[in-house]
Amino acid sequence: MRTIVTMPGDGIGKVVTPEAVRLLDAAGFKANYEHGDIGWEFWCKEGNALPQRTIDLLKEHKIGLFGAITSKPKDAADKELDPSLQGKGYSYFSPIVAMRQLFNLDICTRPCISFKGNPLNFIRKKIDGTFEEPMVNTVIFRQNTEGLYAGVEWTNPPKVVRDALETNPKMKAFAHVPSEEMAISTRIVTKKASERIIRAAFEYAKQFGYKNVTICEKPNVLRETSGMMFKIGKQIAKEYPEIALWDTNIDAQMMWLTKNPEDYGVIVAENMFGDIISDGFAGLIGGLGFACSANIGEEVAVFEPTHGSAPKYEKLNPSIVNPIAMFMSACMMLEHIGENEIAARIKKAISAVIEEGKVRTYDMMKLRGGADVFEKGACTTQQMTDAVIAKL
Ligand code: NAI
Ligand code: MG
């Protein structure tokens, strides 16, 4: 039997993860679950938010289902570290970034798909004054390990860095700026990683019947890095004659986000651009309660809702948060391991609950979060799970 490493993490991660397991069980998915420690608690107690034992579990079982973690600024991190560990050289590092780097989880997939009847769906005014509700069905492939988020950056860059940069004539414009007054973040794009993300995007489009793949970059300005991605995109596209290759500039894409989002199938972009577009599209389909994601490497894959630990709601019992983003992440996990039938059944059940509209979490009712949302008709997290299970 397959083993899934569940990493609830902090705050509402601890609420939505067990709900996902309950749903997976009810849907007939047979698996063992091994608990992996991750998050703020382990930073405070052990000085490491991603303990080695959790890394070992992921190495062994390859598939992780992750809730959310809390992270806090440096001062708070230092203060909350166990007194016996303070002053011993521990420094906080995000366990999510650590996981991505350790296992080279370079392909981030973020589907943004509207559910019929979701009151949070984007609507658009038509010329005759009536409204239309475009059904968005876009899957963003975000390069997850390099680009602007690779972390190769300096404030007050050392002389060797400046010397190297000055081999580029464009640096003349900065010749008079003292290094202490300069910050530099690099955007590094490699052929291998670009090929992997673009190929993954085309393969996905082929498997799930999307008609176009859009490279969303800015090659007219970022001539080297965006230029490389676009060139590779053109080469790979030749292998998929049935799928159209489109290209958009990131800025224009954000403008078109509300004009014609329903036209875009699969979108592929560098790390930061992918981060931006996926949040933009997620807003059209209901936001954080619905936004799911996968981080896929050559061996290990980790599935997670894109929301954080929502600390202001973690103590509410019963919980008010929407577990659907987590459920959809679990469905991505099922599809990744070939359990497409169970995934399809769960997604159908979720769609039915949303369309029926009887059971809604507070966010779906556009309420301000708090213990009083139940009086106003919102369901609990657990009731949402029950409703989905009842529809299976
Ligand atoms: P957040 O995603 O936790 O919350 C943002 C807003 O959305 C809050 O109003 C929250 O209550 C609401 N929300 C989040 N998930 C929801 C759900 N499932 N249903 C209904 N409402 C939901 O982001 P925030 O507040 O910026 O960060 C809180 C903590 O989470 C921080 O420590 C941050 O570092 C961490 N974080 C962790 C992430 C991860 O684990 N992947 C991602 C983003 C933030
Ligand atoms: Mg983001």
Side-chain angles (χ1 to χ4, degrees), residues 87-126:
K88 294 199 172 147
Y90 289 94
S91 70
Y92 179 81
F93 191 76
S94 159
I96 304 177
V97 177
M99 248 186 321
R100 285 181 192 153
Q101 290 179 347
L102 263 168
F103 296 109
N104 193 28
L105 305 177
D106 63 333
I107 295 170
C108 176
T109 312
R110 293 188 170 189
C112 298
I113 302 173
S114 312
F115 285 102
K116 212 170 157 198
N118 184 352
L120 303 179
N121 282 347
F122 168 67
I123 56 166
R124 200 168 44 202
K125 200 168 179 179
K126 295 207 293 188

Side-chain angles (χ1 to χ4, degrees), residues 12 68-71 96 288 304 307-313 322 362:
I12 65 163
I69 52 104
T70 296
S71 61
I96 304 177
L288 288 173
E304 53 160 332
H307 63 71
S309 60
K312 56 182 176 179
Y313 303 142
N322 188 347
Y362 83 97

Side-chain angles (χ1 to χ4, degrees), residues 5 10 20 25-26 64 84 102 114 137 177 192 210 212 220 237 273 275 293 310 328 340 346 349 352:
V5 182
D10 301 306
D25 276 343
S84 70
L102 263 168
S114 312
N137 185 353
V177 183
K192 185 181 172 205
Y210 288 90
N212 54 66
N220 53 337
F273 288 176
D275 192 16
S293 77
M328 293 299 290
N340 296 40
I346 293 177

